[in-house]
Amino acid sequence: MNEAELRERLLAILGAIAPEARETELDPAAPLRDQIDIDSMDFLNFVTAVHKQLGVPIPELDYPRLSSLDGAVHYVMAKLAA
């Protein structure tokens, strides 16, 4: 899976949790919680869905690394490459 495909998968996961999230309006470097209306439970659902759908173990200590779209892409890419 390349970076563009991963970004699309993460956006699809995010869209299932927060349908109001629009890819064209998201700043990929800014925290997701500042841009869309997700609470801590929604964020946990996002992390859990990433784990389940992509098979990437994400320890709780690493959750902050997935706070932005860019952060999530880089984190998951590194985990998939390992």
Side-chain angles (χ1 to χ4, degrees):
M1 175 179 313
N2 66 36
E3 188 173 324
E5 293 169 334
L6 176 58
R7 187 174 298 270
E8 289 302 314
R9 287 283 297 274
L10 293 174
L11 284 168
I13 292 169
L14 188 59
I17 294 165
E20 70 279 2
R22 290 186 172 70
E23 173 186 358
T24 57
E25 296 175 6
L26 283 179
D27 176 354
L32 294 169
R33 291 182 66 183
D34 292 348
Q35 298 182 77
I36 54 179
D37 189 26
I38 60 172
D39 58 19
S40 58
M41 189 54 116
D42 290 331
F43 182 74
L44 180 59
N45 289 336
F46 171 67
V47 172
T48 302
V50 170
H51 166 69
K52 287 181 180 177
Q53 292 185 30
L54 300 174
V56 175
I58 307 169
E60 188 174 348
L61 186 61
D62 289 347
Y63 288 5
R65 297 180 64 190
L66 282 82
S67 64
S68 70
L69 182 58
D70 281 349
V73 168
H74 295 292
Y75 180 84
V76 174
M77 285 296 292
K79 289 289 187 174
L80 290 174

